[in-house]
Amino acid sequence: MRRPFAHALLVLGSAITVGCTARSAAVPADRSLLITNARIIDGTGSPARSGSVRVRADRIIAVGDLQKQPGDSVIDAGGLTLAPGFIDTHSHHDRGLDKDRSAIAVVSQGVTTIIAGQDGSSHIPLAGFFSALEANPPAINVASYVGHGSVRDSILGEDFKRVATPAEVERMKAIVAQEMGAGALGLSSGLEYDPGIYSDPSEVIALAKVAADSGGRYISHMRSEDRELFKAVDELINIGRVNHMPVQISHAKLAMRALWGRAPELIAKLDSARAAGVDVTMDVYPYQFWQSTLTVLYPARDFANRTTTDFVLREVAAPEGLLISRFEPQPEYAGKTVAEIAKMRNSDPATTLEWLIATSEAARKSGGHGGQGVIATSMDERDIARLIAWPFANISSDGELDGRHPRGFGTFPRVLGRYVRDQHVVTLEEAIRKMTSLAAHNVGIRDRGTIAPGMYADLTLFDPATVTDRATPTDPHALSVGIDRVWVNGTLVFAKGAVTGAYPGRVIRRARG
Ligand SMILES: [Zn+2]
């Protein structure tokens, strides 16, 4: 997922505080909330067990066979499953969060924490982003990486189609250090995108090292998810090896016909890196289609090269599998595939794809609206299941509050419905671990992601028998079903299909030491 870097530089909303109007759904400090009659899946992978959870203020204070005490407000879970709130380790739901603070796309999936600053694109300075969030808090917790592309953009500006000089790398290092000081979890990169694609691997290593020196991590939308996938994985593993830092593949996928069925090979490569001491992990979302810009289909940016175009349509995505999600020069093409647009234009798919990109690039260059986006079907179902099952893979959405890809609303319930209940890819307890404690571990968050005394009271109550996604490419904002209630920091934010209007979300800064 990419957004223009000019936007990435905008601090979320303004610093104006619109008095806190959150209804007082929080648990007062002298009272506690007792959730009884729940099947507790604690997030560690341990088997579900029946019991109760007591919450005081923003923390879990007891778990087990608990009796009602004076002052308890009691919620009977009715035998539903209580899990830690899900942690979305690759999210774009921060965009527009200042306007849509209830974040129904997020909480309706049972997600309580999002990790922003992905794909090399972050708010800079993060201190401003964080203080705007704290002045105008949303329903959910937010953490962020510092984005390599945004850092590069702030030093190179429009002159980015080149390797940076040593002096420029030094200036970028200073920004990364500043952002780590503000609480970034680490460095993210988007090496398939401008401007990251023009960086030399040594630049990325040097900047990631600054994050490592602060105890941070490296997470990457790698240089390639198709033609050069395995080479891109080598670059990521190498960063982990030379910098002695944890590294994570963002939204892992094998997005080319020739790669289909090769998930075991990818996993074997990662397992052997782990055996050699590199802490490499991944996040993955449960869809066969990705969403990005049309330009990523052309890593050499040779948009008019018919050989490349033919290769794209044969190997990366068929014309019927390229659904235009946005096309500002002619908005009527949004919601149509390249195959359909070709028919409308009495043309062929290759000419049409090249025309779409040329038209959007021309509009952009003349200062007009050239925005475009595509949802491309490039992945094989078997690979997705294998990636989800890898013990070090956690679940992420890559989604947005107002996006055209259904992942923004459906990811987590889809895993629980399709991959757990229907396909038995992993057990329910293992899936929950991948959405909670493993997710927290993979981004370096310590006090969320399990149900245990002392942890923050981010909780999701759901029905494993019915939970499923409803969002589709044609109805991307359809709410999932089966998520019953969601608490963030001890406060109810979602119940019975609706947000509560409470805004207990916090900024999560990297744990130090
Ligand atoms: Zn991405």
Side-chain angles (χ1 to χ4, degrees), residues 87-132:
I87 297 171
D88 187 348
T89 65
H90 186 113
S91 164
H92 300 284
H93 294 99
D94 57 313
R95 179 158 47 162
L97 190 57
D98 55 336
K99 303 280 188 307
D100 179 9
R101 294 194 292 148
S102 292
I104 193 166
V106 179
V107 296
S108 62
Q109 298 187 54
V111 173
T112 53
T113 296
I114 62 165
I115 315 299
Q118 302 289 345
D119 299 316
S121 176
S122 65
H123 300 265
I124 290 183
L126 275 174
F129 172 58
F130 287 163
S131 59

Side-chain angles (χ1 to χ4, degrees), residues 1-2 90 92 118-119 193 221 225 250-251 253 398:
M1 163 70 211
R2 154 137 174 98
H90 186 113
H92 300 284
Q118 302 289 345
D119 299 316
Y193 295 128
H221 176 140
E225 299 184 321
S250 292
H251 43 58
K253 58 177 77 85
D398 201 7

